[in-house]
Amino acid sequence: YKENLFVKISKDLGLFYDNREYLTVDAIFYKEYKKAEYANPVPIPIVWIESENDRDDIAWSELYKLCCLNAPLKVIFTLFPEWNNDLLKEYTSKDGKIGDCHYVIDPFINVSRLIGYIGFIIAVRKDNQFIFYSFVYDENGNIKDDGQLVIIE
């Protein structure tokens, strides 16, 4: 069925088809939905979490993956050697470069839809402490908030 049936169905729908397995996710926070007639509780994702150490791969791998998922919040947690307003502008610009987040977010908004907020938490190690920064996209691809979260020594 993967080599014949799904190929035909996707072609008939005018869609592309790929049978690779997708979307292995690092972590999830969820609620359990229970009903007496259900044999087991159903885990309902509330927060999907991805971590990424390669800052150049954030948009293509982790952000794309999170855009595919349904939950009120999706978070990318990453470690940078530094964080400043220039880097924030680089990642949140709308100039169509592969490194910026809109290169992934805009197609989801224009072709399908973006479900939930997508937050970025950037950890920066400075001396003997971590400083955490963040920015958040809403379902329309707008930055809702950015700034310094907390310092942990």
Side-chain angles (χ1 to χ4, degrees), residues 8-109:
K8 182 179 179 349
I9 292 171
S10 67
K11 185 176 180 181
D12 290 348
L13 292 172
L15 300 173
F16 295 99
Y17 170 70
D18 189 344
N19 65 355
R20 292 178 291 165
E21 291 191 26
Y22 285 103
L23 307 179
T24 302
V25 180
D26 292 338
I28 180 176
F29 298 160
Y30 63 94
K31 291 183 178 180
E32 287 187 339
Y33 181 79
K34 300 175 185 180
K35 266 184 121 173
E37 59 267 24
Y38 289 9
N40 296 305
V42 177
I44 305 298
I46 302 301
V47 181
W48 291 100
I49 301 170
E50 274 297 317
S51 58
E52 179 58 56
N53 293 327
D54 181 0
R55 69 183 241 186
D56 294 327
D57 198 34
I58 289 173
W60 271 113
S61 64
E62 310 310 323
L63 180 56
Y64 175 81
K65 188 185 309 183
L66 293 179
C67 285
C68 292
L69 301 171
N70 180 5
L73 179 61
K74 283 98 50 145
V75 176
I76 294 176
F77 185 89
T78 189
L79 181 65
F80 275 43
E82 65 176 342
W83 187 252
N84 55 47
N85 284 337
D86 291 336
L87 285 168
L88 176 65
K89 288 177 190 172
E90 177 184 333
Y91 278 86
T92 60
S93 73
K94 293 188 177 188
D95 61 10
K97 292 182 192 170
I98 289 177
D100 73 51
C101 296
H102 282 279
Y103 192 85
V104 175
I105 290 173
D106 286 348
F108 275 88
I109 292 167

Side-chain angles (χ1 to χ4, degrees), residues 126 128-132 150-153:
K126 189 172 183 179
N128 289 329
Q129 61 187 14
F130 280 101
I131 304 171
F132 294 92
V150 66
I151 298 174
I152 299 175
E153 296 187 32

